[in-house]
PDB file of all heavy atoms in Angstrom:
ATOM      1  N   LEU A 101     -15.709  34.384  -7.514  1.00  0.00           N
ATOM      2  CA  LEU A 101     -14.275  34.141  -7.332  1.00  0.00           C
ATOM      3  C   LEU A 101     -13.451  35.209  -8.027  1.00  0.00           C
ATOM      4  O   LEU A 101     -12.508  35.770  -7.439  1.00  0.00           O
ATOM      5  CB  LEU A 101     -13.922  32.759  -7.896  1.00  0.00           C
ATOM      6  CG  LEU A 101     -12.444  32.421  -8.015  1.00  0.00           C
ATOM      7  CD1 LEU A 101     -11.819  32.256  -6.641  1.00  0.00           C
ATOM      8  CD2 LEU A 101     -12.247  31.146  -8.854  1.00  0.00           C
ATOM      9  N   HIS A 102     -13.790  35.520  -9.257  1.00  0.00           N
ATOM     10  CA  HIS A 102     -13.033  36.515 -10.013  1.00  0.00           C
ATOM     11  C   HIS A 102     -13.173  37.906  -9.409  1.00  0.00           C
ATOM     12  O   HIS A 102     -12.196  38.653  -9.334  1.00  0.00           O
ATOM     13  CB  HIS A 102     -13.494  36.517 -11.472  1.00  0.00           C
ATOM     14  CG  HIS A 102     -13.100  35.289 -12.232  1.00  0.00           C
ATOM     15  ND1 HIS A 102     -13.491  35.055 -13.527  1.00  0.00           N
ATOM     16  CD2 HIS A 102     -12.345  34.215 -11.870  1.00  0.00           C
ATOM     17  CE1 HIS A 102     -12.985  33.896 -13.936  1.00  0.00           C
ATOM     18  NE2 HIS A 102     -12.309  33.370 -12.948  1.00  0.00           N
ATOM     19  N   SER A 103     -14.372  38.252  -8.979  1.00  0.00           N
ATOM     20  CA  SER A 103     -14.571  39.590  -8.401  1.00  0.00           C
ATOM     21  C   SER A 103     -13.820  39.740  -7.084  1.00  0.00           C
ATOM     22  O   SER A 103     -13.337  40.829  -6.757  1.00  0.00           O
ATOM     23  CB  SER A 103     -16.068  39.864  -8.191  1.00  0.00           C
ATOM     24  OG  SER A 103     -16.604  39.039  -7.177  1.00  0.00           O
ATOM     25  N   LYS A 104     -13.689  38.640  -6.331  1.00  0.00           N
ATOM     26  CA  LYS A 104     -13.012  38.683  -5.034  1.00  0.00           C
ATOM     27  C   LYS A 104     -11.492  38.725  -5.163  1.00  0.00           C
ATOM     28  O   LYS A 104     -10.790  39.134  -4.231  1.00  0.00           O
ATOM     29  CB  LYS A 104     -13.401  37.457  -4.194  1.00  0.00           C
ATOM     30  CG  LYS A 104     -14.859  37.408  -3.754  1.00  0.00           C
ATOM     31  CD  LYS A 104     -15.125  38.315  -2.589  1.00  0.00           C
ATOM     32  CE  LYS A 104     -16.510  38.098  -2.025  1.00  0.00           C
ATOM     33  NZ  LYS A 104     -16.782  39.001  -0.871  1.00  0.00           N
ATOM     34  N   THR A 105     -10.978  38.272  -6.301  1.00  0.00           N
ATOM     35  CA  THR A 105      -9.523  38.114  -6.432  1.00  0.00           C
ATOM     36  C   THR A 105      -8.913  38.983  -7.534  1.00  0.00           C
ATOM     37  O   THR A 105      -7.728  38.837  -7.840  1.00  0.00           O
ATOM     38  CB  THR A 105      -9.176  36.639  -6.720  1.00  0.00           C
ATOM     39  OG1 THR A 105      -9.775  36.229  -7.961  1.00  0.00           O
ATOM     40  CG2 THR A 105      -9.671  35.734  -5.594  1.00  0.00           C
ATOM     41  N   SER A 106      -9.678  39.878  -8.126  1.00  0.00           N
ATOM     42  CA  SER A 106      -9.168  40.655  -9.266  1.00  0.00           C
ATOM     43  C   SER A 106      -8.249  41.785  -8.818  1.00  0.00           C
ATOM     44  O   SER A 106      -8.414  42.368  -7.753  1.00  0.00           O
ATOM     45  CB  SER A 106     -10.326  41.229 -10.080  1.00  0.00           C
ATOM     46  OG  SER A 106     -10.996  42.229  -9.353  1.00  0.00           O
ATOM     47  N   TYR A 107      -7.274  42.064  -9.647  1.00  0.00           N
ATOM     48  CA  TYR A 107      -6.404  43.223  -9.463  1.00  0.00           C
ATOM     49  C   TYR A 107      -5.734  43.522 -10.800  1.00  0.00           C
ATOM     50  O   TYR A 107      -5.784  42.702 -11.726  1.00  0.00           O
ATOM     51  CB  TYR A 107      -5.363  42.978  -8.363  1.00  0.00           C
ATOM     52  CG  TYR A 107      -4.349  41.902  -8.671  1.00  0.00           C
ATOM     53  CD1 TYR A 107      -3.111  42.213  -9.225  1.00  0.00           C
ATOM     54  CD2 TYR A 107      -4.622  40.560  -8.403  1.00  0.00           C
ATOM     55  CE1 TYR A 107      -2.173  41.228  -9.499  1.00  0.00           C
ATOM     56  CE2 TYR A 107      -3.700  39.567  -8.681  1.00  0.00           C
ATOM     57  CZ  TYR A 107      -2.471  39.913  -9.225  1.00  0.00           C
ATOM     58  OH  TYR A 107      -1.551  38.939  -9.507  1.00  0.00           O
ATOM     59  N   PHE A 108      -5.128  44.669 -10.905  1.00  0.00           N
ATOM     60  CA  PHE A 108      -4.421  45.050 -12.127  1.00  0.00           C
ATOM     61  C   PHE A 108      -2.913  44.933 -11.885  1.00  0.00           C
ATOM     62  O   PHE A 108      -2.406  45.386 -10.856  1.00  0.00           O
ATOM     63  CB  PHE A 108      -4.771  46.479 -12.544  1.00  0.00           C
ATOM     64  CG  PHE A 108      -6.128  46.603 -13.175  1.00  0.00           C
ATOM     65  CD1 PHE A 108      -7.264  46.759 -12.390  1.00  0.00           C
ATOM     66  CD2 PHE A 108      -6.272  46.548 -14.556  1.00  0.00           C
ATOM     67  CE1 PHE A 108      -8.519  46.867 -12.961  1.00  0.00           C
ATOM     68  CE2 PHE A 108      -7.527  46.651 -15.135  1.00  0.00           C
ATOM     69  CZ  PHE A 108      -8.650  46.815 -14.345  1.00  0.00           C
ATOM     70  N   LYS A 109      -2.235  44.317 -12.816  1.00  0.00           N
ATOM     71  CA  LYS A 109      -0.785  44.194 -12.697  1.00  0.00           C
ATOM     72  C   LYS A 109      -0.114  44.898 -13.875  1.00  0.00           C
ATOM     73  O   LYS A 109      -0.687  45.005 -14.972  1.00  0.00           O
ATOM     74  CB  LYS A 109      -0.358  42.730 -12.634  1.00  0.00           C
ATOM     75  CG  LYS A 109      -0.457  41.979 -13.938  1.00  0.00           C
ATOM     76  CD  LYS A 109       0.174  40.590 -13.812  1.00  0.00           C
ATOM     77  CE  LYS A 109       0.191  39.870 -15.159  1.00  0.00           C
ATOM     78  NZ  LYS A 109       0.828  38.535 -15.057  1.00  0.00           N
ATOM     79  N   ASP A 110       1.082  45.365 -13.648  1.00  0.00           N
ATOM     80  CA  ASP A 110       1.856  46.009 -14.702  1.00  0.00           C
ATOM     81  C   ASP A 110       2.381  44.961 -15.678  1.00  0.00           C
ATOM     82  O   ASP A 110       2.831  43.881 -15.267  1.00  0.00           O
ATOM     83  CB  ASP A 110       3.035  46.781 -14.095  1.00  0.00           C
ATOM     84  CG  ASP A 110       2.582  47.961 -13.253  1.00  0.00           C
ATOM     85  OD1 ASP A 110       1.478  48.484 -13.504  1.00  0.00           O
ATOM     86  OD2 ASP A 110       3.330  48.354 -12.332  1.00  0.00           O
ATOM     87  N   VAL A 111       2.287  45.267 -16.952  1.00  0.00           N
ATOM     88  CA  VAL A 111       2.784  44.364 -17.986  1.00  0.00           C
ATOM     89  C   VAL A 111       3.543  45.177 -19.024  1.00  0.00           C
ATOM     90  O   VAL A 111       3.411  46.403 -19.104  1.00  0.00           O
ATOM     91  CB  VAL A 111       1.641  43.589 -18.679  1.00  0.00           C
ATOM     92  CG1 VAL A 111       0.934  42.674 -17.692  1.00  0.00           C
ATOM     93  CG2 VAL A 111       0.652  44.547 -19.338  1.00  0.00           C
ATOM     94  N   THR A 112       4.326  44.487 -19.833  1.00  0.00           N
ATOM     95  CA  THR A 112       5.013  45.129 -20.940  1.00  0.00           C
ATOM     96  C   THR A 112       4.238  44.872 -22.230  1.00  0.00           C
ATOM     97  O   THR A 112       3.328  44.035 -22.271  1.00  0.00           O
ATOM     98  CB  THR A 112       6.440  44.585 -21.094  1.00  0.00           C
ATOM     99  OG1 THR A 112       6.369  43.202 -21.471  1.00  0.00           O
ATOM    100  CG2 THR A 112       7.209  44.697 -19.769  1.00  0.00           C
ATOM    101  N   ASN A 113       4.619  45.569 -23.273  1.00  0.00           N
ATOM    102  CA  ASN A 113       3.971  45.350 -24.572  1.00  0.00           C
ATOM    103  C   ASN A 113       4.160  43.924 -25.067  1.00  0.00           C
ATOM    104  O   ASN A 113       3.328  43.399 -25.821  1.00  0.00           O
ATOM    105  CB  ASN A 113       4.539  46.327 -25.605  1.00  0.00           C
ATOM    106  CG  ASN A 113       4.134  47.758 -25.321  1.00  0.00           C
ATOM    107  OD1 ASN A 113       3.193  47.994 -24.576  1.00  0.00           O
ATOM    108  ND2 ASN A 113       4.846  48.709 -25.910  1.00  0.00           N
ATOM    109  N   ASP A 114       5.232  43.289 -24.620  1.00  0.00           N
ATOM    110  CA  ASP A 114       5.499  41.913 -25.046  1.00  0.00           C
ATOM    111  C   ASP A 114       4.418  40.950 -24.569  1.00  0.00           C
ATOM    112  O   ASP A 114       4.188  39.910 -25.207  1.00  0.00           O
ATOM    113  CB  ASP A 114       6.859  41.450 -24.515  1.00  0.00           C
ATOM    114  CG  ASP A 114       8.017  42.151 -25.204  1.00  0.00           C
ATOM    115  OD1 ASP A 114       7.789  42.712 -26.295  1.00  0.00           O
ATOM    116  OD2 ASP A 114       9.135  42.151 -24.660  1.00  0.00           O
ATOM    117  N   THR A 115       3.777  41.272 -23.441  1.00  0.00           N
ATOM    118  CA  THR A 115       2.735  40.394 -22.910  1.00  0.00           C
ATOM    119  C   THR A 115       1.610  40.226 -23.916  1.00  0.00           C
ATOM    120  O   THR A 115       1.188  39.103 -24.229  1.00  0.00           O
ATOM    121  CB  THR A 115       2.180  40.960 -21.592  1.00  0.00           C
ATOM    122  OG1 THR A 115       3.239  41.069 -20.645  1.00  0.00           O
ATOM    123  CG2 THR A 115       1.081  40.064 -21.030  1.00  0.00           C
TER     124      THR A 115
END
Side-chain angles (χ1 to χ4, degrees):
L101 170 69
H102 290 176
S103 68
K104 293 282 189 180
T105 61
S106 69
Y107 66 95
F108 284 85
K109 73 172 185 179
D110 294 334
V111 296
T112 66
N113 291 342
D114 290 342
T115 300

